[in-house]
Amino acid sequence: MSVLDTTVVLLYFIILIVVGFVGAKKAKTAEDYALAGRNLGLFIYLGCLSAVILGGASTIGTAKLGYQFGLSGIWFVFMIGLGITVLGLVFIHHIYGANVTTISELLGRRYNKETRLLSALVAAIYTMMVSVTQVIGIGTIINAVLSWNMTASMLIGGGIVLFYTILGGMWSVTMTDIIQFIIMTVGIFLFMLPMSLSHVGGWEALTSRLPATYFDFTSMGWGEIFQYFLLYTLGMVVSQDIWQRVFTARTTKIARSGAVYAGLYSFIYALALSIIGMCALVALPSLKDTQNVFAKMALEILPPGILGLILASVCSALMSTASGTLLASSTLLSHDILKQYWPKDISDKKFVFLSRLITLVIGVIAIMFAIWIQDVLVALDVAYAILSGAIFVPVVLGFLWKKATAKAGLYSIVISSLVVFGSLAVEGLSSTNPIIYGIVTSIVSMVVLSYVSQPSSPSQEVNRFVEEEEGRKLING
């Protein structure tokens, strides 16, 4: 890589560090640190939401799937986009305006404080594992470009993300997300996609040089497509890092519209990355490590200067999701566990310091896990198996089924979490069966335990939750 390209990438990293210092000045309260003051307009909110859902796994993983399956590679990110669209159309009127910070806080209101504690632990593990995928992705790009070993690449890339997230919290994340969203969009759609097609002779040449299966949207197999639905569509609906972004919107209308637009953007993004992967198969047919498809294709076709911009755009996608999920994990632990049980009556200033400390700990653990796993899609499957298998059913039934009891909500999370972890241990980290086992177990547990433990009359907490829900529906239309 040329000196110019290296300079572009390093300059981008320096900008992120500077933004961290600026964000630190704005994050004066706990709400500023966690939710950027709940005051984002549509464009900034849309950019932040798109940036967090389209991270390293989306970029690197979809290019890899396009290389392996062709247009069928869209389903991974398509299901993410579908999930965020469903969240916007169906669920945001339930959660926006509840004046909560985390998904666990809402579960605590619906069920009990034990459910809040347990769901916070499970969701914190999930968000940390998503951070792991992004650190792996950052390491992959730096490794491919600068030829550093993977360990050093992940330490440096992950360290930069951790630095600016600790300093400014959601304000740093918001400012960097806008930069990252713009660079990501320009890099992929204005440069990488058209130049990849041009390099292989255009779309007609691509169709003549690849098997017909590469233009079949279902060549991946319906089983794999359905597993992506279970993992990512359901996972998006109950994902803390997504909810935390939703709570930053200024109004319900902005929250809903931004989610739908981010979902549509995801569909287009998935198609672009799949086509880039297909072009890479023509240009680089003997590539051994398919996880490096995007980076190797960029190195193959792009001129100096543009190459640096494209690599910065990939780092943008990676770092955006990494920072958002690191913050989400630390918010769950600090807000739903430490603040509730220890220490009591902590001042706002001290709580911000505690949040920064927790972010540091989570970030270090995430980097260590990234060095251990070193596979983007495997790490992401583990994350979403934990989330969808253990949290999705209690959240949705809590909204839609008034007979769901506190005991059922708590034990459903316990039992399904054990099933998911046990299945991952038995079938391996790459298996997606644990998500199915977890959801089935969660549904059975919720229904059976709700009827067994059904009180003669609904508790005051459940009645209050239902009344608040009805009030929010009226306010939000």
Side-chain angles (χ1 to χ4, degrees), residues 15-326:
I15 291 172
L16 294 183
I17 293 172
V18 172
V19 167
F21 285 109
V22 175
K25 294 182 180 180
K26 297 176 74 69
K28 296 179 180 179
T29 68
E31 188 164 273
D32 287 338
Y33 189 83
L35 300 174
R38 301 180 190 262
N39 197 37
L40 300 188
L42 179 59
F43 175 75
I44 296 178
Y45 169 70
L46 169 62
C48 291
L49 198 56
S50 299
V52 75
I53 63 177
L54 298 174
S58 299
T59 304
I60 295 171
T62 303
K64 174 182 176 179
L65 291 173
Y67 190 92
Q68 295 172 329
F69 299 105
L71 292 178
S72 190
I74 69 165
W75 289 108
F76 166 34
V77 170
F78 180 93
M79 292 304 179
I80 291 176
L82 180 61
I84 204 70
T85 302
V86 170
L87 177 67
L89 294 176
V90 180
F91 289 98
I92 276 181
H93 74 279
H94 287 286
I95 65 177
Y96 191 89
N99 198 31
V100 296
T101 302
T102 67
I103 185 173
S104 302
E105 185 177 357
L106 197 64
L107 283 171
R109 287 188 185 181
R110 176 59 177 85
Y111 298 114
N112 53 33
K113 64 180 182 180
E114 290 80 12
T115 305
R116 179 178 182 178
L117 171 63
L118 182 61
S119 61
L121 286 172
V122 173
I125 293 172
Y126 148 74
T127 47
M128 185 190 72
M129 288 304 297
V130 177
S131 300
V132 170
T133 70
Q134 309 314 301
V135 175
I136 294 170
I138 295 168
T140 299
I141 296 299
I142 295 176
N143 169 259
V145 172
L146 300 178
S147 298
W148 297 351
N149 68 61
M150 276 293 290
T151 299
S153 299
M154 287 187 284
L155 284 171
I156 292 171
I160 292 172
V161 174
L162 182 57
F163 177 79
Y164 74 73
T165 306
I166 289 172
L167 282 181
M170 186 59 82
W171 273 117
S172 287
V173 172
T174 297
M175 289 186 286
T176 55
D177 277 357
I178 294 304
I179 296 170
Q180 290 159 346
F181 175 68
I182 294 171
I183 294 177
M184 182 172 67
T185 302
V186 170
I188 298 298
F189 292 103
L190 296 187
F191 292 106
M192 192 67 183
L193 178 59
M195 294 182 77
S196 294
L197 283 169
S198 176
H199 184 74
V200 299
W203 181 257
E204 290 185 3
L206 192 66
T207 58
S208 66
R209 298 173 70 177
L210 290 178
T213 56
Y214 270 70
F215 301 89
D216 180 357
F217 282 98
T218 62
S219 63
M220 180 183 292
W222 285 109
E224 190 72 18
I225 293 170
F226 181 63
Q227 287 176 338
Y228 282 147
F229 169 78
L230 292 175
L231 284 167
Y232 305 122
T233 301
L234 303 189
M236 282 291 105
V237 173
V238 293
S239 177
Q240 167 62 24
D241 52 316
I242 305 303
W243 280 39
Q244 202 159 338
R245 298 304 175 96
V246 167
F247 297 146
T248 65
R250 186 181 301 129
T251 66
T252 305
K253 183 178 180 180
I254 289 174
R256 181 184 295 139
S257 300
V260 174
Y261 294 152
L264 293 174
Y265 181 86
S266 300
F267 303 152
I268 301 170
Y269 194 84
L271 185 61
L273 266 295
S274 295
I275 294 172
I276 291 169
M278 294 163 66
C279 293
L281 180 60
V282 173
L284 304 166
S286 302
L287 196 61
K288 293 181 180 179
D289 186 358
T290 54
Q291 191 162 250
N292 286 333
V293 165
F294 189 93
K296 292 296 184 183
M297 189 62 177
L299 290 167
E300 174 75 15
I301 68 171
L302 298 178
I306 299 298
L307 175 60
L309 176 65
I310 296 301
L311 294 175
S313 75
V314 179
C315 289
S316 295
L318 295 158
M319 291 181 166
S320 178
T321 303
S323 58
T325 49
L326 278 175

